[in-house]
């Protein structure tokens, strides 16, 4: 499978925390596609021997470019098929209130992503729920109970057009 993956040559990235050349980018592309790919498979695909590939991966990990290796789960098969985007505005906008809100959101397992945003709202949340009843329960019994909660606008995702974790 890895050999079938077409790797386009790209310019080296020099504005990263460490300079990345075409081989580094090729390694990152392969790992984004399959984090369980072996060093040997990567080496064969990018035409290097395993030792320099291993050293490059170690350097990418130590620099923080590779943050972690993860398994992507199918939310629908796990009973979390409803995706809701929640726009949240807080009543108070001081630093202490904002940090308290962030701490509270970190404790809510239904919230899979949280972004501090500009504009009419202060935060955007991605919430995964079992169904509408599950989201209602989350909204009424958890989200609306968070201290300093102002206004919440819920947007229900009807379908995913694009969803990726890949940066290359």
């Amino acid at each position: 499978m890895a050999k079938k993956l077409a790797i386009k040559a790209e310019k080296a990235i020099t504005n990263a925390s460490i300079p990345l050349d075409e081989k580094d980018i090729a390694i990152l592309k392969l790992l984004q596609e399959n984090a369980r790919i072996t060093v040997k498979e990567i080496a064969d695909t990018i035409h290097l021997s395993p030792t320099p590939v291993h050293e490059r991966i170690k350097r990418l990990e130590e620099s923080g470019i590779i943050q972690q290796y993860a398994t992507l789960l199918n939310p629908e098969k796990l009973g979390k098929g409803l995706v809701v985007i929640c726009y949240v505005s807080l009543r108070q906008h001081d630093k202490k209130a904002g940090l308290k809100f962030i701490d509270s959101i970190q404790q809510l397992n239904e919230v899979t992503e949280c972004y501090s945003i500009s504009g009419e709202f202060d935060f955007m949340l991605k919430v995964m729920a079992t169904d509408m009843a599950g989201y209602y329960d989350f909204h009424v019994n958890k989200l609306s109970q968070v201290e300093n909660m102002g206004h919440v606008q819920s947007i229900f995702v009807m379908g995913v057009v694009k969803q990726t974790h890949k940066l290359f």
Side-chain angles (χ1 to χ4, degrees):
M1 179 180 134
K3 289 184 181 183
K4 292 180 184 177
L5 187 63
I7 302 173
K8 264 186 353 190
E10 295 184 19
K11 293 181 180 176
I13 297 176
T14 56
N15 61 345
S17 58
I18 61 171
L20 301 177
D21 63 19
E22 291 178 15
K23 297 291 186 182
D24 293 324
I25 293 168
I27 290 169
L28 292 171
K29 283 182 176 183
L30 289 165
L31 287 170
Q32 285 180 122
E33 187 65 33
N34 177 9
R36 295 179 70 180
I37 190 171
T38 66
V39 170
K40 179 167 179 359
E41 289 173 314
I42 294 171
D44 291 345
T45 303
I46 67 170
H47 309 293
L48 283 178
S49 63
T51 300
V53 168
H54 177 73
E55 290 169 355
R56 284 172 179 263
I57 292 171
K58 187 174 172 96
R59 179 176 56 90
L60 292 165
E61 291 169 344
E62 289 172 352
S63 71
I65 289 174
I66 295 176
Q67 293 180 334
Q68 71 180 49
Y69 297 92
T71 301
L72 302 178
L73 305 176
N74 183 328
E76 288 182 11
K77 292 189 179 203
L78 293 169
K80 298 285 186 176
L82 182 65
V83 180
V84 185
I85 304 298
C86 297
Y87 292 101
V88 174
S89 55
L90 303 180
R91 286 193 304 251
Q92 298 175 336
H93 291 90
D94 59 85
K95 187 175 181 176
K96 185 176 179 182
L99 290 173
K100 256 187 154 170
F101 173 81
I102 290 168
D103 286 342
S104 297
I105 291 302
Q106 296 285 353
Q107 305 306 311
L108 301 176
N109 291 331
E110 296 87 347
V111 177
T112 59
E113 297 176 39
C114 175
Y115 301 94
S116 174
I117 60 173
S118 64
E120 183 180 341
F121 295 94
D122 302 310
F123 294 92
M124 183 181 86
L125 312 177
K126 180 179 176 184
V127 177
M128 304 297 289
T130 54
D131 53 21
M132 191 62 81
Y135 177 71
Y136 178 81
D137 180 62
F138 165 77
H139 187 282
V140 170
N141 296 313
K142 293 182 181 180
L143 187 59
S144 66
Q145 301 303 311
V146 171
E147 189 178 331
N148 194 32
M149 183 64 68
H151 178 70
V152 176
Q153 181 177 343
S154 301
I155 311 290
F156 298 92
V157 174
M158 295 174 59
V160 177
V161 175
K162 179 177 181 179
Q163 180 179 27
T164 185
H165 60 280
K166 299 175 187 176
L167 297 178
F168 295 106

